[in-house]
Amino acid sequence: MFPKAHLIQAPTPLHRLDRISADLGLDLWIKRDDLTGFAMGGNKGRKLEYQIAEVLRTGAEVVVTCGAVQSNYIRQLGAACAMHGLRCVAAAMRLPYEYGPGDYPGLSDQGGNVVLDDILGVELHVYEDGTWERLYEHAAILAQKERLQGAKVHEIPIGGSSPLGAYAFLEAGRELQKQGEFDWIVFASSSGSTQTGLTHAYAGTATKVLGIASDPEPEIAADFAELSIGLMELIGAEKALRADDFLMNFDYVGPAYGIPSPEGTEAIQLMARREGIFLDPIYSGKAFAGLMSLAQKGEVKGKVCFWHTGGVPVLFA
Ligand SMILES: *Cc1c(COP(=O)(O)O)cnc(C)c1O
């Protein structure tokens, strides 16, 4: 429906987790978006297929975005830009915070995605820790500087959460519908295009689409509703979702966004030791910790799909 650059190998694999299914008394499956075959995997590859096509259509030469320094989006955007001869400029902070920095040990600004960004030629500008608003300002200033130097610039919001990004996950939901039927789909949710797209794909069905939040702010459901309006405008449909149409759980964020949690670390170890699969400490590990705990409470049951959104390079940060 929209122009698309080919980046990922789809459909991504879906398979059963036999050992953890037995442990939890669930019929548990995993959707392997960690195995997209693109730039070390992750959910951002799907969004980028549409977003890079859009950038190419506008004739831009430079893409400017922002994120946490260990952003998985910046890494995958960097790869997509490199493949198409575009410069990728990114504003980053080690720990952007809405309510002031915490006292917890966060991720390193070395290793992990930062190494990969460097290999890809991403122009990563790392600023002193501050608020998300401050980070967006840094990105706007970088974009303005490029424009003043005569470059044609395309700006992409944090995490690639645009209506096109949500559209990519509407399609991803349809991809899963061809692979199997589920009572629950559970995944890590943050900037919202994954959850917005999947929730649209399953709207009006019996399947429950549950985002385990990686950010502590319940207001993000309002942002998702806004994204839904953008998605509806894009595809010319009428009925957007409202904030309370999104099934979200905020109990497994741990200390803060971007800070590993003890439960998340345990979940990472369990998934590796029982199934030989790596999760990440910021998103998928926390989400899987949430899934296990909700399954133990009997709140999530039946045939369940855990959507692995990637992030594995962050294990090295
Ligand atoms: C970005 C990201 C998410 C969250 O996806 P959104 O569409 O931004 O909500 C989850 N997991 C991983 C590993 C990510 O990199």
Side-chain angles (χ1 to χ4, degrees):
M1 186 166 174
F2 299 104
K4 189 172 175 181
H6 176 64
L7 300 175
I8 71 164
Q9 305 297 323
T12 55
L14 171 81
H15 62 87
R16 194 166 186 271
L17 297 173
D18 290 336
R19 289 164 206 83
I20 301 183
S21 285
D23 294 346
L24 293 177
L26 283 184
D27 186 11
L28 181 62
W29 295 66
I30 188 166
K31 175 71 170 154
R32 301 294 302 273
D33 272 13
D34 58 322
L35 301 181
T36 61
F38 170 64
M40 294 208 146
N43 64 341
K44 306 309 186 301
R46 292 185 184 274
K47 311 183 191 185
L48 281 162
E49 293 200 310
Y50 291 102
Q51 291 167 343
I52 283 297
E54 169 75 2
V55 174
L56 294 172
R57 202 182 55 73
T58 65
E61 309 141 305
V62 184
V63 178
V64 177
T65 193
C66 62
V69 75
Q70 288 295 345
S71 164
N72 298 306
Y73 182 69
I74 293 175
R75 177 217 341 137
Q76 290 165 84
L77 174 64
C81 285
M83 290 165 69
H84 290 92
L86 304 165
R87 281 174 54 220
C88 178
V89 176
M93 286 177 183
R94 199 175 66 93
L95 284 177
Y97 274 110
E98 197 74 26
Y99 304 111
D103 306 320
Y104 303 97
L107 299 175
S108 168
D109 58 2
Q110 316 277 314
N113 281 316
V114 175
V115 173
L116 303 173
D117 292 346
D118 182 54
I119 293 172
L120 288 164
V122 173
E123 298 167 46
L124 190 68
H125 299 259
V126 183
Y127 299 95
E128 202 180 306
D129 289 351
T131 62
W132 294 104
E133 287 308 322
R134 192 83 193 92
L135 181 60
Y136 305 155
E137 280 167 26
H138 283 303
I141 292 166
L142 285 176
Q144 191 54 25
K145 271 193 195 150
E146 292 292 339
R147 281 196 190 96
L148 288 173
Q149 285 165 16
K152 190 138 195 258
V153 177
H154 189 100
E155 291 176 76
I156 300 189
I158 190 159
S161 262
S162 63
L164 266 181
Y167 179 75
F169 265 90
L170 172 59
E171 294 244 292
R174 291 177 181 149
E175 178 182 306
L176 181 64
Q177 283 162 355
K178 289 189 196 132
Q179 291 175 307
E181 269 186 41
F182 294 93
D183 299 310
W184 289 84
I185 299 168
V186 182
F187 52 90
S189 190
S190 170
S191 69
S193 33
T194 301
Q195 182 150 10
T196 303
L198 290 181
T199 306
H200 271 283
Y202 284 91
T205 75
T207 303
K208 292 182 228 18
V209 174
L210 173 64
I212 308 284
S214 316
D215 292 79
E217 295 132 40
E219 309 85 77
I220 62 177
D223 299 342
F224 294 9
E226 205 151 300
L227 206 51
S228 169
I229 294 171
L231 175 60
M232 289 301 94
E233 283 170 2
L234 199 64
I235 63 178
E238 60 284 6
K239 204 163 170 289
L241 299 168
R242 292 164 319 161
D244 55 11
D245 291 326
F246 293 99
L247 205 52
M248 301 200 71
N249 182 299
F250 292 88
D251 297 341
Y252 303 96
V253 177
Y257 171 76
I259 309 283
S261 70
E263 301 76 24
T265 303
E266 260 176 50
I268 290 171
Q269 290 173 346
L270 185 100
M271 183 66 98
R273 294 174 191 185
R274 296 290 281 154
E275 302 284 353
I277 295 170
F278 293 109
L279 301 174
D280 84 281
I282 306 307
Y283 299 98
S284 55
K286 290 179 180 179
F288 195 65
L291 190 165
M292 285 196 297
S293 149
L294 294 168
Q296 276 151 2
K297 291 188 208 161
E299 288 175 36
V300 166
K301 53 188 174 220
K303 188 170 177 192
V304 180
C305 177
F306 177 66
W307 200 300
H308 191 331
T309 47
V312 178
V314 175
L315 286 174
F316 304 100

